[in-house]
Amino acid sequence: MAKYVAKRIGLMFVSFFIIMTICFVLVRLLPNPNVAVVGGMDKQVEAMREAWGYNKPIIVQYGIYLKKVLTEFNWGITTSLAPKYTSVVSIIAQKLPATLLVNLLSIVVSIPLGILFGIYAALKKNKWQDQVISVLIMLLISVPSYVYAFLVQYIFAFKLGWFPLVLKSGTDWLSPEMIHSAILPAMSLSFGTMAGLMRYTRAELTETLTSEYMLLARTKGLTGAQATTRHALRNAMVPILPMILGEIVGILGGSLVIESIFAVPGVGKLYTLSISVRDYDMFLAIAMFYVFIGLSASILTDISYGFIDPRIRMGGGKNNER
Amino acid sequence: MSDKTNNTIQNVDPSKFRFVQKDAKLHDMKFETKPVGYFKDAWYRFSRNKGSVIAAMIILALMLFAILVPMFSRFDVRYSDTHYNYVLPKNEFLAQYGIMDGCKDFSGYNQQLYDYYSSIPGAVVEVYDSYEITDAGRTNTYYDIKMDTYAKVGYATVALTKAEYEALAAYEQESGRQVMYPIVDKTKIKYASYQQDINVWYLHDQKGKAVYDENGNFQNIFKKATDSDIEIGNVMQVNEYGEWDENGEYMVKKYTSKNDGNTYETRVLYNEYYVYQHGFEPCFLFGVDSFGKDILVCLASGARLSFLLSISVSVINLFIGLIYGSIEGYYGGKVDLVMERLVEILYDVPFIVVATLFQIYFAQKVGTFWSLLFAFVLTGWIGIAGRTRTQFYRFKGQEYVLAARTLGAKDRRIIFRHILPNALGTIVTAAVLIIPGTIGTESMLSFLGIVNLQTGNTTSIGTMLSAGQSSLSTYPHVIFFPAVFLALLMICFNMFGNGLRDAFNPSLRGSE
């Protein structure tokens, strides 16, 4: 197992490095708006460009970039975004709490609800409750999250006035007002996750409920509820838990659209902004942040399979040896 | 020994042989029923699934909507008339029954606002309620009214040439409809906010409340042509071009424009002027957005673009994915290993990064549409390739493939004639599901403004959504139609895809 984990992590860094190289080259080949400033560049930009080797060949530039990233964890400075000439990493760190707050709220709501509804639908399979939940799943999965966002915003913020329109500004992340204003974005985010979990739980549980060990459990005298919780549910959770883990890592990335609709000052918003004002260092840093999140989520999912169900040997050879 | 057996078998008199089953009926010679092929079976199962069939029909209807509406509409995407910003959906036929009549309810209008709108012909359709509220010793009257958003547009000033003016005057004579209205005497406007307002034509006090005459009617403040006016240049030739009514008020103000020739500035009731210009009543089935564009035709054009993009992406991805996956799956081994690594790296690049880079790089060179198409294709085929690969691993070891190879079939023939047809079902399903995914992502990107597809005669659903977002509270219809369209499309495509998946699933064969 340890060997497999090490191999996966090693491969992840190789992938990360290749993607970073491609992105770096592509971004550096772009025309930089700061060069085109009439009447010469800002002195600080000039100094920055000199320090980062912008006037040298692209391979040398990449060497400098890599060296700064690896030794100082310095991903560059902002050139167009509001607090100019500040470290990109510090700005991303500033924006993370808002994204985390909204996404954590959504995860806290959607995971238990999704699993519960999924279990309920599986237990009531082919009855009207199951039909209703199936239709709900279909609706929630198909319709894009921003359409819900509009709906939720219109109904709960405009018509009923229960929640504020957009996220409260400020940095008091855990104050009641802040959480109150984060409910709507969290709600719009959670529908999709919830529906995915509902569908998955329902499918897995119906399969385990009809398996033979359930019959055995009933035969040896367990009640329906006992057999379901002790045998069916545990086995059904095997593929669901890794999925949840993946979700949790994914929340760091946030959602571009939801953050834009509810004015959440998060990473997604920063990313969209960095594209529109052409702040390339910022763009590259956030893009690599997303790549990292995606890669680590997939690794975590894969590895957790092995921990949750010892029968699964990830990366095992044909004899399934360790 | 061998001689003896030979003797026993070969030396038997042929006449002693007889056919065992010459007249017996063989029951397994022929199928009693017609053979059902894979695709026929799939079609049968699909048509039994009512939800999917309905979804497929709705998709077809939406596609027809996207194709036909821009062809037959009176408007196009370029059309914009900012006078009609935010007017509500209206249909002349349904309006008779009180549905989609372009009216909106407003409540709590004070006397000034009520006077303002009731002075515009047709704007106030119905007064539901009027009530008095006493606040800080003052009693104010408030009104709940039903307002026609089309009539609410009110008056406008238009500048005409002499020929245009004369044509308009002739039209008025001929049709008996009044288009031009007298010009207002600005000196009589007492309420500061009304100074620049073209709609105000009635006598009012300093707070904007109308001063009625003894019968409760508005009193006009139309400009009277005095002798001194006539002497000043701007109304010099009022007798020639202006029209006097019986009270000596004139309807047209003439002034010499800076450029050349003469311009007639006249005050018109915009709805009537619209009828004069276009030959039909202003009437927008889905209403108008914040830029004065017809939502119906914009939505249809946006849908057209979405369909065009997503179907091309789907077809190209299917093509690339099939070839790539076939080679991977069929040859396996080292070829597979190398090709899978390439796929892994491409797969790990977040789409949003790809889309942005393509957008920054190619949008100016080849156009937004093409750059977006390339971005979708770059990583989009991976899903199809993976599926094809798995299917090939499944089928390539089977006996019929071995048989084909034994008979001398070449690789290409085995791939395309023997394995692919069997694998096609699931792959086609995956390709169909690319369509809603692409549409969703495209509208998300254009909503965020990362991609701008709004050029010339095209627009995109995402752009419409982001335009409607600002007026979500006051005019939800702007965002309603694109949102509903998108939601409906997504739901139908998913249902259709599910139906296809079940239909092509061989393990479900004969289960119904």
Side-chain angles (χ1 to χ4, degrees):
Chain A
M1 193 70 189
K3 196 178 149 197
Y4 173 69
V5 173
K7 195 174 137 198
R8 277 303 302 264
I9 292 177
L11 276 176
M12 169 183 146
F13 278 106
V14 173
S15 295
F16 186 81
F17 180 75
I18 295 174
I19 297 168
M20 188 158 111
T21 313
I22 298 171
C23 288
F24 181 87
V25 172
L26 288 179
V27 167
R28 277 296 156 92
L29 289 177
L30 287 171
N32 197 315
N34 291 304
V35 185
V37 176
V38 185
M41 281 172 280
D42 206 309
K43 258 192 181 169
Q44 259 170 302
V45 179
E46 186 92 68
M48 186 273 288
R49 288 178 66 86
E50 195 55 49
W52 288 79
Y54 270 57
N55 305 324
K56 299 193 175 79
I58 200 142
I59 299 175
V60 183
Q61 286 184 32
Y62 191 47
I64 297 171
Y65 186 76
L66 267 187
K67 195 180 149 204
K68 294 222 181 197
V69 165
L70 292 178
T71 53
E72 311 162 36
F73 203 66
N74 182 348
W75 289 80
I77 58 171
T78 55
T79 49
S80 318
L81 279 169
K84 274 195 177 181
Y85 318 123
T86 30
S87 151
V88 162
V89 177
S90 71
I91 293 186
I92 296 177
Q94 268 174 30
K95 302 281 180 185
L96 260 181
T99 299
L100 279 182
L101 173 80
V102 171
N103 285 281
L104 270 179
L105 259 181
S106 112
I107 284 279
V108 164
V109 178
S110 60
I111 288 179
L113 277 184
I115 292 179
L116 278 180
F117 276 120
I119 292 172
Y120 187 69
L123 292 177
K124 300 272 179 193
K125 190 164 169 58
N126 292 334
K127 293 196 181 114
W128 68 268
Q129 292 99 328
D130 180 39
Q131 310 282 355
V132 170
I133 290 180
S134 296
V135 171
L136 206 66
I137 291 174
M138 183 45 98
L139 285 182
L140 292 179
I141 278 199
S142 316
V143 181
S145 64
Y146 42 96
V147 174
Y148 293 127
F150 295 137
L151 198 69
V152 170
Q153 206 178 31
Y154 185 68
I155 294 174
F156 293 108
F158 286 126
K159 284 280 157 180
L160 299 172
W162 291 352
F163 301 102
L165 246 175
V166 293
L167 196 77
K168 185 179 149 322
S169 55
T171 49
D172 46 337
W173 301 117
L174 291 174
S175 69
E177 295 87 35
M178 183 59 95
I179 290 179
H180 180 231
S181 68
I183 287 177
L184 284 189
M187 205 153 115
S188 346
L189 266 179
S190 58
F191 284 137
T193 325
M194 207 162 87
L197 266 177
M198 261 151 70
R199 180 162 75 172
Y200 212 53
T201 313
R202 179 179 168 273
E204 286 297 325
L205 194 59
T206 32
E207 207 186 307
T208 50
L209 277 175
T210 51
S211 58
E212 277 156 6
Y213 57 76
M214 278 299 284
L215 191 64
L216 177 71
R218 294 302 302 275
T219 323
K220 73 183 185 192
L222 265 64
T223 62
Q226 282 174 328
T228 307
T229 46
R230 290 186 198 170
H231 294 278
L233 211 51
R234 281 194 189 183
N235 276 300
M237 278 301 133
V238 169
I240 295 169
L241 280 179
M243 186 183 158
I244 294 176
L245 272 177
E247 279 303 329
I248 289 175
V249 178
I251 64 172
L252 283 168
S255 156
L256 299 179
V257 187
I258 300 295
E259 290 193 1
S260 151
I261 294 174
F262 291 99
V264 178
V267 182
K269 186 99 177 126
L270 189 65
Y271 182 72
T272 343
L273 210 63
S274 77
I275 296 165
S276 55
V277 301
R278 301 280 161 97
D279 198 322
Y280 293 131
D281 277 354
M282 182 63 93
F283 167 73
L284 197 59
I286 303 180
M288 292 325 291
F289 178 66
Y290 283 154
V291 172
F292 183 77
I293 288 171
L295 287 172
S296 33
S298 78
I299 286 192
L300 204 64
T301 315
D302 278 0
I303 292 173
S304 60
Y305 273 116
F307 279 110
I308 291 160
D309 189 347
R311 288 173 303 180
I312 299 174
R313 303 263 174 273
M314 290 306 292
K318 61 183 171 187
N319 298 323
N320 209 14
E321 85 282 3
R322 202 162 260 235
Chain B
M1 183 70 183
S2 64
D3 280 352
K4 203 174 183 185
T5 36
N6 275 348
N7 282 344
T8 47
I9 294 168
Q10 284 174 355
N11 298 341
V12 181
D13 182 9
S15 66
K16 283 186 178 172
F17 285 103
R18 65 183 172 83
F19 291 106
V20 178
Q21 288 175 312
K22 194 170 186 187
D23 300 314
K25 196 183 175 197
L26 276 181
H27 288 280
D28 58 348
M29 283 287 278
K30 204 166 71 180
F31 286 119
E32 294 276 302
T33 54
K34 274 187 185 170
V36 177
Y38 178 54
F39 284 96
K40 199 175 173 189
D41 180 54
W43 170 247
Y44 172 74
R45 232 177 294 129
F46 180 78
S47 57
R48 288 282 297 273
N49 188 340
K50 282 201 191 80
S52 302
V53 174
I54 293 172
M57 283 173 178
I58 297 178
I59 293 171
L60 213 64
L62 292 178
M63 281 184 178
L64 283 179
F65 167 81
I67 295 170
L68 295 180
V69 165
M71 287 166 72
F72 293 108
S73 175
R74 288 159 169 170
F75 313 104
D76 64 3
V77 176
R78 279 197 202 90
Y79 170 87
S80 113
D81 190 334
T82 45
H83 287 96
Y84 288 106
N85 277 0
Y86 294 127
V87 296
L88 294 189
K90 182 176 175 182
N91 179 287
E92 271 155 359
F93 176 71
L94 289 174
Q96 298 166 21
Y97 305 100
I99 323 162
M100 289 178 79
D101 52 0
C103 292
K104 188 173 160 68
D105 295 342
F106 289 91
S107 61
Y109 267 19
N110 58 19
Q111 189 69 46
Q112 287 96 314
L113 274 172
Y114 176 74
D115 284 340
Y116 181 88
Y117 286 116
S118 51
S119 77
I120 301 169
V124 176
V125 179
E126 196 181 338
V127 179
Y128 292 122
D129 193 15
S130 67
Y131 44 91
E132 291 185 344
I133 294 174
T134 309
D135 182 35
R138 281 190 205 156
T139 307
N140 289 311
T141 317
Y142 290 91
Y143 297 87
D144 290 350
I145 56 170
K146 182 179 180 183
M147 182 125 69
D148 187 336
T149 50
Y150 288 80
K152 189 182 152 215
V153 170
Y155 301 93
T157 316
V158 290
L160 303 173
T161 63
K162 187 181 175 187
E164 280 169 348
Y165 170 73
E166 275 162 1
L168 182 56
Y171 165 82
E172 273 190 326
Q173 287 284 327
E174 198 182 304
S175 65
R177 304 172 78 135
Q178 190 181 6
V179 180
M180 291 182 283
Y181 283 76
I183 277 173
V184 169
D185 188 353
K186 291 247 158 152
T187 57
K188 288 184 184 159
I189 293 178
K190 289 175 187 142
Y191 186 45
S193 311
Y194 286 168
Q195 205 55 248
Q196 297 301 320
D197 204 313
I198 192 76
N199 283 329
V200 179
W201 59 270
Y202 51 88
L203 192 65
H204 55 268
D205 63 14
Q206 283 176 337
K207 282 177 186 161
K209 281 187 194 175
V211 178
Y212 303 107
D213 64 7
E214 58 269 29
N215 300 323
N217 294 324
F218 289 115
Q219 306 182 53
N220 73 52
I221 47 169
F222 295 143
K223 192 167 171 67
K224 307 253 194 278
T226 56
D227 294 341
S228 65
D229 273 337
I230 293 169
E231 278 161 26
I232 304 167
N234 66 338
V235 283
M236 205 162 47
Q237 290 157 321
V238 78
N239 280 317
E240 194 179 336
Y241 304 120
E243 298 200 359
W244 299 75
D245 71 4
E246 61 272 24
N247 302 326
E249 295 146 2
Y250 64 91
M251 288 179 178
V252 179
K253 187 169 89 177
K254 178 189 173 232
Y255 67 91
T256 314
S257 70
K258 265 188 178 176
N259 304 329
D260 54 279
N262 301 326
T263 309
Y264 287 67
E265 196 185 70
T266 82
R267 181 166 167 267
V268 294
L269 187 62
Y270 197 73
N271 270 333
E272 287 295 335
Y273 186 64
Y274 190 93
V275 174
Y276 162 69
Q277 271 190 314
H278 298 267
F280 52 85
E281 296 266 341
C283 180
F284 304 93
L285 189 61
F286 282 5
V288 171
D289 70 1
S290 54
F291 305 112
K293 286 175 182 289
D294 177 32
I295 292 178
L296 176 71
V297 80
C298 282
L299 181 59
S301 308
R304 231 184 210 195
L305 187 85
S306 290
F307 278 128
L308 194 66
L309 179 75
S310 58
I311 292 174
S312 340
V313 166
S314 169
V315 169
I316 298 172
N317 280 349
L318 182 67
F319 190 67
I320 300 176
L322 268 183
I323 293 175
Y324 197 92
S326 310
I327 295 172
E328 263 187 316
Y330 186 72
Y331 292 104
K334 270 186 188 144
V335 178
D336 184 31
L337 200 74
V338 173
M339 289 173 89
E340 267 300 281
R341 295 293 82 74
L342 182 67
V343 161
E344 256 173 30
I345 288 168
L346 274 180
Y347 185 75
D348 286 332
V349 186
F351 176 74
I352 188 91
V353 176
V354 178
T356 322
L357 282 176
F358 269 76
Q359 193 54 32
I360 298 172
Y361 258 95
F362 298 119
Q364 264 129 39
K365 287 173 202 152
V366 295
T368 321
F369 179 83
W370 291 106
S371 79
L372 200 57
L373 185 80
F374 289 146
F376 274 113
V377 168
L378 184 72
T379 54
W381 53 269
I382 290 174
I384 302 271
R387 242 164 232 270
T388 316
R389 177 172 169 261
T390 334
Q391 295 293 323
F392 265 83
Y393 270 114
R394 198 174 122 203
F395 287 115
K396 74 175 178 188
Q398 287 190 1
E399 285 78 4
Y400 78 94
V401 176
L402 190 66
R405 189 172 292 131
T406 319
L407 289 172
K410 292 207 174 69
D411 282 352
R412 208 170 61 189
R413 191 178 167 84
I414 293 176
I415 291 177
F416 290 110
R417 299 299 296 271
H418 294 282
I419 301 181
L420 214 52
N422 276 310
L424 211 57
T426 50
I427 297 164
V428 165
T429 310
V432 166
L433 284 175
I434 287 179
I435 297 176
T438 308
I439 294 179
T441 315
E442 177 260 314
S443 37
M444 185 196 85
L445 288 175
S446 50
F447 173 78
L448 287 172
I450 294 177
V451 167
N452 182 16
L453 288 162
Q454 177 110 31
T455 47
N457 209 8
T458 60
T459 185
S460 111
I461 299 178
T463 314
M464 297 180 68
L465 286 175
S466 78
Q469 200 201 345
S470 51
S471 59
L472 183 65
S473 58
T474 40
Y475 296 100
H477 73 276
V478 179
I479 210 164
F480 176 80
F481 291 104
V484 164
F485 180 87
L486 205 58
L488 194 64
L489 193 68
M490 293 295 178
I491 293 170
C492 289
F493 256 115
N494 273 321
M495 280 174 74
F496 176 61
N498 281 358
L500 270 187
R501 193 190 56 205
D502 289 348
F504 281 125
N505 185 351
S507 67
L508 285 175
R509 185 169 182 166
S511 68
E512 284 170 35

